[in-house]
Amino acid sequence: QVQLVESGGGLVQAGGSLRLSCAASGRIFSIKTMGWYRQAPGNQRELVAAITRSGSTDYADSVKGRFTISRDNAKNTVYLQMNSLKPEDTAVYYCNAHVLTTPLVEVGSWGQGTQVTVSS
């Protein structure tokens, strides 16, 4: 019913920047919280950043001051600007959205993931 498509991952040197995008499509009445998670090999998936529809944000301590999450409600899109990247940021990054498909039905959706690799 809802599809999330991520883009913007890649290979970057330490200290560099990348911008991830995630566009939602399908049966969408409204989108509540959108967020980015990441999973490195051997690790559990962890929250990187989240943003409510009204723009309130939350960040993992490890990315505060370096990453910025934003969204465009008109485009059903969420972004993650990643600056001062470190090798420990290397992971597959997943987009997540809590979507109202009708005023009363909420579904959680995940993107397919995009690889971010930071070389030292």
Side-chain angles (χ1 to χ4, degrees):
Q1 286 185 328
V2 178
Q3 298 80 40
L4 301 180
V5 178
E6 299 127 333
S7 60
L11 173 64
V12 65
Q13 289 188 333
S17 299
L18 284 174
R19 188 190 193 212
L20 305 183
S21 300
C22 171
S25 63
R27 185 171 183 177
I28 299 172
F29 174 78
S30 178
I31 302 179
K32 300 171 71 176
T33 300
M34 303 184 81
W36 291 95
Y37 289 72
R38 66 186 181 188
Q39 187 168 19
N43 290 354
Q44 290 186 336
R45 191 172 296 188
E46 62 175 1
L47 175 68
V48 176
I51 184 168
T52 66
R53 185 171 183 82
S54 61
S56 296
T57 58
D58 187 28
Y59 294 93
D61 288 342
S62 59
V63 306
K64 285 180 179 177
R66 300 189 298 121
F67 291 9
T68 302
I69 190 170
S70 60
R71 65 188 283 175
D72 185 332
N73 290 331
K75 296 181 179 179
N76 291 330
T77 299
V78 63
Y79 307 95
L80 186 67
Q81 178 67 43
M82 304 185 293
N83 299 329
S84 302
L85 282 160
K86 304 175 181 180
E88 50 264 44
D89 294 318
T90 296
V92 178
Y93 284 69
Y94 296 91
C95 175
N96 173 265
H98 293 263
V99 179
L100 289 171
T101 57
T102 75
L104 297 178
V105 177
E106 180 177 340
V107 298
S109 295
W110 291 92
Q112 79 285 356
T114 185
Q115 177 70 46
V116 171
T117 302
V118 184
S119 62
S120 57

